[in-house]
């Protein structure tokens, strides 16, 4: 060993001595200086559990809420918030169940609370209700339009333009201005609730537009419509693949 060390460079020997010294000091700190509770995981778990139990925040569970607020609970469990616990929005309610008159649960009234889930985020699933909180009814609390226990659009939009304003403005100055949107589109009721996952239909055949624009069209609305021979015009394509139906060009 002595001969082996004598053959090593002095710098390497000094470096090994330094590492050995650090190793001895580290072992002394871990074995002697650090208290046992800091090294025992079971003791740490027990201390953490004791600290959490000592905190005043305690949840009651949804069964406790349903005992007194049965109508609200029945309404919520069939709605879109059925998977949320009451305490998700109202906070821990254990103290409220113990003294309902003195301790009231919190009611989120700030717009910032609902947008934690409903602000637009491209990573969220398609069809999940998302809004731009800056543009969507600014300054209004969400609960002034949406019942949080049964959240739905407050009123079903009567006009397609409520959501499709740009298309409505285009159609308003087009030759199709007299046509209702439902003339060409069938919008399932669910489209108004989940517009990203349930889409309205589009005409899927040339014959649909041909009801007005075929040379032998007999539809009462086709009186002044431009006519084409469907057998030779456009061939295999559906009409809206070449003609933008909300602002169709017309050649005199």
């Amino acid at each position: 060993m002595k001969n082996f060390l004598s053959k090593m460079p002095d710098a390497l020997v000094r470096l090994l001595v330094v590492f050995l010294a650090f190793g001895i000091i580290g072992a002394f700190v871990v074995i002697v200086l650090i208290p046992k509770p800091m090294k025992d995981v079971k003791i740490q778990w027990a201390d953490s559990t004791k600290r959490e139990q000592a905190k005043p925040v305690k949840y009651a569970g949804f069964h406790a809420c349903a005992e007194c607020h049965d109508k609200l609970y029945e309404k919520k469990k069939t709605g879109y918030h059925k998977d949320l616990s009451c305490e998700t929005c109202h906070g821990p309610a254990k103290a409220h169940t113990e003294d309902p008159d003195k301790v009231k649960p919190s009611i989120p009234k700030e717009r910032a609370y609902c947008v934690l889930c409903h602000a637009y985020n491209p990573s969220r699933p398609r069809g999940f209700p998302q809004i731009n909180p800056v543009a969507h009814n600014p300054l209004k609390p969400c609960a002034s339009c949406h019942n949080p226990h049964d959240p739905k659009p407050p009123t079903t939009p009567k006009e397609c333009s409520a959501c499709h304003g740009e298309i409505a403005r285009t159609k308003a100055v087009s030759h199709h201005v007299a046509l209702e949107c439902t003339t060409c589109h069938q919008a399932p009721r669910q489209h108004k609730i989940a517009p990203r996952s349930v889409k309205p239909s589009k005409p899927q055949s040339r014959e649909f537009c041909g009801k007005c624009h075929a040379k032998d069209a007999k539809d009462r609305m086709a009186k002044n419509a431009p006519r084409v021979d469907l057998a030779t015009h456009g061939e295999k394509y559906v009409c809206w693949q070449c003609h933008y139906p909300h602002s169709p060009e017309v050649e005199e």
Side-chain angles (χ1 to χ4, degrees):
M1 184 68 180
K2 185 176 180 180
N3 292 335
F4 175 74
L5 292 174
S6 63
K7 294 179 181 178
M8 295 178 65
D10 292 341
L12 181 57
V13 173
R14 287 195 290 272
L15 184 61
L16 289 175
V17 171
V18 170
F19 276 118
L20 182 61
F22 275 116
I24 294 173
I25 293 172
F28 177 77
V29 170
V30 171
I31 296 172
V32 179
L33 297 184
I34 296 180
K36 185 179 179 181
M38 294 183 65
K39 296 182 289 185
D40 192 326
V41 175
K42 292 182 179 179
I43 295 176
Q44 294 176 13
W45 272 106
D47 290 344
S48 299
T49 303
K50 189 181 299 182
R51 284 196 302 273
E52 292 300 320
Q53 290 177 341
K55 291 182 178 178
V57 178
K58 293 183 179 179
Y59 291 88
F62 70 91
H63 293 294
C65 303
E67 289 180 5
C68 296
H69 307 283
D70 53 336
K71 291 183 179 179
L72 288 177
Y73 175 73
E74 291 297 323
K75 192 177 189 67
K76 187 183 78 67
K77 78 174 187 180
T78 59
Y80 288 93
H81 281 172
K82 61 184 177 183
D83 294 329
L84 292 182
S85 170
C86 306
E87 291 167 298
T88 302
C89 299
H90 295 291
K94 181 68 173 176
H96 172 64
T97 59
E98 294 173 347
D99 192 348
D101 294 328
K102 185 178 180 181
V103 181
K104 301 294 184 183
S106 63
I107 300 176
K109 296 180 180 178
E110 302 294 331
R111 288 172 58 83
Y113 184 80
C114 298
V115 299
L116 291 174
C117 293
H118 293 290
Y120 176 72
N121 185 331
S123 66
R124 291 194 169 117
R126 293 184 64 187
F128 186 83
Q130 300 180 68
I131 62 163
N132 180 345
V134 176
H136 183 83
N137 290 330
L139 306 180
K140 278 189 171 183
C142 304
S144 65
C145 297
H146 305 274
N147 181 347
H149 298 115
D150 186 22
K152 291 178 181 175
T155 54
T156 301
K158 295 180 180 179
E159 302 292 339
C160 300
S161 59
C163 297
H164 305 284
E166 184 175 350
I167 292 177
R169 288 190 291 273
T170 302
K171 190 170 83 66
V173 295
S174 80
H175 293 278
H176 279 171
V177 63
L179 297 182
E180 297 290 342
C181 301
T182 51
T183 303
C184 303
H185 301 286
Q186 292 182 351
R189 184 175 178 277
Q190 192 67 16
H191 171 65
K192 299 170 184 175
I193 299 172
R196 293 179 184 274
S197 59
V198 180
K199 304 287 187 181
S201 66
K202 291 181 180 179
Q204 296 298 315
S205 69
R206 294 161 50 78
E207 287 71 24
F208 182 88
C209 297
K211 289 189 297 184
C212 291
H213 295 290
K215 64 180 181 180
D216 55 349
K218 297 180 181 179
D219 193 291
R220 64 181 178 82
M221 300 184 67
K223 183 178 179 181
N224 298 317
R227 306 299 181 88
V228 297
D229 184 353
L230 289 182
T232 58
H233 183 83
E235 300 178 345
K236 61 182 179 180
Y237 297 103
V238 180
C239 304
W240 52 259
Q241 290 179 297
C242 299
H243 304 274
Y244 182 53
H246 300 125
S247 180
E249 72 277 18
V250 177
E251 295 181 2
E252 299 292 345

